[in-house]
Amino acid sequence: MKIPLHCSRDQDKTPMLQTLHSIVQEVNAARGLDHALNIIVKRVAESTQVDVCSVYLVDPETQEYVLMATRGLNPDSVGRVRLRMDEGLVGLVGERKEPLNLENAEAHPRFRYFPETGEERFHSFLGAPIIHFRRLLGVLVVQQTARRRFGEEEVAFIVTMAAQLAGAIAHGEATGGTSLLAGHGAALGKRALNGVPGAPGVAMGRAMVAYSPADLFAVPDRPVRNVDKEIALFHAALDGVKQEVRDMADRLADAVPSDEHSLFDVYLKMLDSESLVHGTIQRIREGNWASGALRDSIAQHVSVFDEMEDPYLRERAGDIRDIGRRILMRLQLDSGDQRAVPKGTVLVGEEISASQLAEIPTDHLVGVVTTRGSGNSHVAILARALNIPAVMGVAELPVGRLDGKEIIVDGYAGRIHVEPGSAARKEYRRLLKEDAELSRELQVLKELPAETPCGYRMGLYANTGLMADITSSLASGCDGIGLHRTEFPFMVRERFPGEDEQTLVYRQVLEPFIPRKVVLRTLDVGGDKPLPYFPVREENPFLGWRGIRLTLDHPEIFLTQLRAMLRANAGCANLRVMFPMVSRMAEVDEAVALLERARDELQEEGVDVEMPEVGVMVEVPSAVYLADRLARKVDFVSIGSNDLTQYLLAVDRNNARVADLYDELHPAVLSAMDHVIKAVAPYDKPVTVCGAMAGDPAAAILLLGMGVQGLSMSVSSLLRVKWVIRSFSRSDARGLLARAWEMERPQDVRQMLNAALDEAGLGGLVRAGK
């Protein structure tokens, strides 16, 4: 059970923060939400010296408050006391979404008496709403016999505790942990968890948790099959670490003073401590495997040391963590990950590397979910190449509790369901069936042009990043590659790839598409795409050193890539070079000058190369207003809808807290794109759109109406968008665009476009939740 603690660990913490920190530590070690709630009501009652502390949670199925835990009321009333959303003082707190502090609660007109609770003797009432991302989850209440108003610090403490509790409840919901206490009625309803789309599609399967070696607190729970074997593995790992410590002590015996050398004796005593050894063995006997049992034992020890006032003793928590990591590494060496990968596996992790994904047989893998990362991360790119639905950045997901649980992955909406109810299963089975039927029906469009009924030809291009993308792109009937991300070969290596290596890679992209155009975007790293061997640590990486800024500052890297592109194009003559993250005219001048220099150098070396077409990505607001000037200097313009939306709306699309605010149909985004298209038009330079918007069938109607000449998207979206283009004339699209200009809310635009698709017989393209 994890809830984040939003306070510092300074020595001079206020008493309130010290108490809060202590409660959070206990809750983090709880076995589940029910246990966590009972810890909270007990500790809050003790800390505030009140007579009653209770938690009421909202049952989403019945829309009632349910008493879930209490300290001070009749414990038999837990799970039995229910209130309508507009009933009683608890209902009033929820309606107002603010604290309610009463000296004489029974005198309030909204007071509702429940005789089974035994609360008639309590007069003072303080309630605070439990809210998570604007969603009311319940109410935290404290009561006292004496008639008094609670003080300002008490109110602040209860409000803060309610805010912390919201995170614990959200995590409990993710694993189905919001059941009422045993024997007290039906479970509370489950809800979807939101992240960001990583790869389109829908999948249903069971979770397999991937975790980094020696990352102790990422270790998942897993049922033990052979208790004696697990205990033996734990003892062997323990003995191995003891020997490691003795060896280190011997090596450093003459190198460090005796006081510092005594640290090794402390380590050995920790490794022999009864609470660590016997506690872990007891947890194994209770059914958890050795690594999960060790994780809980170490967490318990760490929480004890974290609570100590003495700074020296508090720092010993780090020593405990180190011991835990060492034992875990031994366990992993001795046992390895010998899990079979069943069919229908959904790979789940805080972060999943491309290598971890590649280790899973593709015919057994149906989905990917991570708590961090974005639609541009390694694993998302690979998932798209493998046509595996993926959702990234599900921040609320308690990964360690998910191994073996049933999961639905909705890669279209960026949403997952854990242990879904029968209604969700039925709905997503229907969607899977419809998806399969639609994909089969769309195959007839593969060889047909993306041409409107009025004869306008729209270029449809594929986004690629891996060699695996090339085969599927060729088979899709696309008009070429509108965006090839060149950074992936940089990401999977432990050094910068050399010129010959890059030349070979780019040749393998260009050659199969002759004579169709292939756009190679120059290196775009930084932001959410760091290189492991070239770390860039910044306060705000999305507004920092990335894209063209980084490559211009490192001409030795940039020139190598440009030379490789030109060499790969020899004999192909279908290369287009595109510069990312352009925000100033000088960047275009400098980048083109380096490209010309690379051409001149190669020609001097006797290599027959030519100057390719050059374009820029318009993905930052400054470039929107430089569009006409950019058009004078380049051969084509590509609007990067993902970053442009993010920067215009000041919304990090990888941040689940604000993901709902990210919408490419926002009037400001549509206006910016329309401005670019109109500014470039007089120069007769083609404008394309790449990003999620280009692959969105509904948004494609508006882009057609604006006069975009090409759309570049994931291969899985190509035939769907082609169906739209072949179904709407330009005048139809302009009419819908005119209606969109009159709307203020993105959801209204979406609703209008979905209705238009449905009316045109394309209702199968309308995704639930869009």
Side-chain angles (χ1 to χ4, degrees), residues 12-32:
D12 57 350
K13 283 188 294 189
T14 65
M16 185 181 82
L17 285 181
Q18 289 175 342
T19 303
L20 179 63
H21 183 84
S22 173
I23 295 174
V24 168
Q25 288 290 338
E26 283 193 49
V27 170
N28 283 347
R31 295 184 298 273

Side-chain angles (χ1 to χ4, degrees), residues 507 510-511 514 564-573 575 607-610:
R507 183 81 181 186
L510 293 166
E511 202 166 44
I514 296 172
M565 288 179 176
L566 295 175
R567 286 175 57 192
N569 190 44
C572 295
L575 169 67
V607 182
D608 185 17
V609 296
E610 58 186 41

